[in-house]
C-alpha cells in the first residue's frame, strides 16, 4: 500500500489518478494535515511506500512503521529525511534532483524585480490609501550574489541573462569551467555579502549552512542590499533578520521558507520591507506535476508495476 503525505500532491487530480492507476489501494492526505511523527505514524500502518513532501522521516517514524520499503520524495530537498537511517534499514529513497528548479528560479527572479521596484511595498501603501511614488531601482546591471550553484542556482543564471547583472557565485564544489563559460565571478561568501546588491540563497540546509545568515553576516551586507531565501528557513536566523530589517542594516528581504512552517512570528511577517510567501517556490502547476510524476515513477520501479 502507498500513502501520499504531501497535501499539494494529494489535492492534484492528475497525480491522484496516476497513483491510483498503478496503486488502486493508495491513500492520500485529504485533509491537508501537517504531520508530526505521531500523526504520520498513525497513517502508515500496513504502508510499504511513502510519498512525502516536507514531512520528517526520522528513526522514530521508521521504528513505528517497520513495513516501509521505499520513501519517495516529492520535491528535491532531502533535509527532512534521515538518509543514514533509511540506508541502515535498507529502505530505498526515491529522489530526482532538479524537478522544480525552474519554479524556484522564477520565484527568485520575481522577488528580485519586486524588491528592486518596490512592487509589493507601494501596492500595499496604495491599498491603504497612500499614493507613494517610489519606483525603487532597476534590476538590470545590478550585482547579484548567488550562494549555492546547483540546479536552481544555474537555472537562475540562465534566467538572469537578459538583465546583464554582474553575478558573483559561491559553492563548495569546483565548477570553474561552468563559471568561465557563463561569465560568473567566483567569490568567498564574505565577498558576496560585501559586494552584492542582492544576495540569494540556494544551498541545502545542513550543519554548514545552519544559521549562515545572522547578525554578523547581515552586517557585512550593503545598507541598500536585499536578501532572498527560497532555500530552507533555518539557513537564516529570523531573529537577527528582523533586527537587521528594523534597523536598516539591509534594505529588504524576501522569504519563501521559514525556521518553522507555517511561521508564527507575526512581527516579522508584517514588516513593510519583507515579502513573504508560503513555501511556493516548487509549487507551480508545472513543478507539482514534474515532482509528482517523478515520485510515482520511483514507486512504480520499486514495486515493479
Ligand atoms: N522554496 C522551495 O519550494 C524549494 C524548492 C526546491 C528546492 N528548495 C531548496 O533550494 C535549495 C537548492 O536546491 P537545488 O535543487 O538547487 O539543490 P542542488 O543540490 O542542486 O544545489 C545545491 C548547491 O549548493 C551547494 N552547497 C552545498 N553546501 C554549500 C555551502 N556550505 N556553501 C556553498 N554551496 C554549498 C552544493 O554543492 C550544490 O551545488 C535546497 O535547500 C532546497 O531544499 C526550495
Amino acid at each position: 500500500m502507498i500513502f501520499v503525505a504531501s497535501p499539494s500532491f494529494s489535492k492534484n487530480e492528475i497525480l491522484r489518478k496516476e497513483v491510483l492507476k498503478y496503486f488502486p489501494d493508495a491513500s492520500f492526505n485529504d485533509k491537508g494535515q501537517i504531520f508530526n511523527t505521531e500523526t504520520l505514524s498513525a497513517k502508515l500502518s500496513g504502508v510499504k511506500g511513502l510519498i512525502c513532501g516536507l514531512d520528517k522521516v526520522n528513526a522514530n517514524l521508521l521504528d513505528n512503521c517497520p513495513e516501509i520499503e521505499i520513501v519517495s520524495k516529492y520535491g528535491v530537498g532531502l533535509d527532512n529525511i534521515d538518509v543514514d537511517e533509511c540506508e541502515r534499514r535498507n529502505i530505498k529513497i526515491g529522489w530526482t534532483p532538479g524537478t522544480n528548479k525552474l519554479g524556484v528560479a522564477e520565484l527568485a527572479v520575481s522577488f528580485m524585480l519586486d524588491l528592486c521596484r518596490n512592487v509589493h511595498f507601494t501596492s500595499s501603501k496604495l491599498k491603504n490609501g497612500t499614493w507613494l511614488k517610489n519606483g525603487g531601482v532597476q534590476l538590470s546591471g545590478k550585482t547579484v550574489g548567488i550562494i549555492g550553484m546547483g540546479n536552481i542556482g544555474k537555472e537562475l543564471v540562465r534566467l538572469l541573462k537578459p538583465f546583464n547583472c554582474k553575478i558573483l557565485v559561491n559553492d563548495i564544489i569546483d565548477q570553474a569551467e561552468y563559471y568561465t563559460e557563463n561569465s560568473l565571478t567566483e567569490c568567498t561568501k564574505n565577498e558576496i555579502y560585501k559586494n552584492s546588491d542582492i544576495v540569494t540563497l540556494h544551498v541545502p540546509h545542513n550543519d554548514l549552512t545552519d544559521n549562515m545568515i545572522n547578525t554578523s553576516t547581515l552586517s557585512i551586507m550593503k545598507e541598500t542590499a536585499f536578501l532572498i531565501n527560497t532555500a530552507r528557513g533555518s539557513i537564516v536566523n529570523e531573529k537577527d533578520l528582523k533586527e537587521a530589517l528594523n534597523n536598516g542594516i539591509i534594505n529588504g528581504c524576501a522569504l519563501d521558507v521559514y525556521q518553522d512552517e507555517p511561521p508564527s512570528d507575526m512581527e516579522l511577517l508584517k514588516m513593510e520591507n519583507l515579502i513573504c510567501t508560503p513555501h511556493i517556490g516548487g509549487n507551480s502547476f508545472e513543478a507539482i506535476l514534474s515532482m509528482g510524476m517523478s515520485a510515482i515513477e520511483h514507486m512504480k520501479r520499486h514495486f515493479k508495476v
Side-chain angles (χ1 to χ4, degrees), residues 176-219:
E177 203 177 318
Y178 167 81
Y179 296 161
T180 309
E181 276 166 15
N182 289 277
S183 311
L184 311 174
T185 307
E186 190 170 14
C187 295
T188 64
K189 291 187 177 65
N190 278 356
E191 284 167 341
I192 287 194
Y193 302 138
K194 184 165 177 241
N195 297 313
S196 302
D197 299 306
I198 298 164
V199 175
T200 182
L201 308 174
H202 300 287
V203 287
H205 176 236
N206 55 32
D207 290 347
L208 277 181
T209 60
D210 184 68
N211 215 29
M212 186 170 84
I213 303 296
N214 52 44
T215 298
S216 81
T217 45
L218 287 160
S219 61

Side-chain angles (χ1 to χ4, degrees), residues 76-77 79 98 100 104 147-153 170-173 175 189 202-206 208-209 230-232 256-257 279-282:
V76 296
D79 50 321
N100 51 19
V104 183
I147 303 185
M149 279 302 302
N151 284 290
I152 296 169
N170 173 269
D171 201 292
I172 49 170
I173 55 170
Q175 312 188 76
K189 291 187 177 65
H202 300 287
V203 287
H205 176 236
N206 55 32
L208 277 181
T209 60
T230 60
R232 281 294 181 262
D256 185 44
V257 287
H279 204 144
I280 57 167

Side-chain angles (χ1 to χ4, degrees), residues 240-288:
D240 292 358
L241 173 68
K242 194 159 69 175
E243 253 175 57
L245 290 172
N246 246 330
N247 298 328
I249 305 296
I250 62 169
N251 194 4
C253 177
L255 297 178
D256 185 44
V257 287
Y258 307 86
Q259 283 172 354
D260 291 314
E261 295 186 1
S264 53
D265 185 350
M266 291 314 291
E267 223 176 70
L268 172 69
L269 300 181
K270 284 186 174 170
M271 296 189 78
E272 280 194 323
N273 49 356
L274 178 84
I275 301 174
C276 48
T277 50
H279 204 144
I280 57 167
N283 193 251
S284 63
F285 175 76
E286 295 85 348
I288 287 173

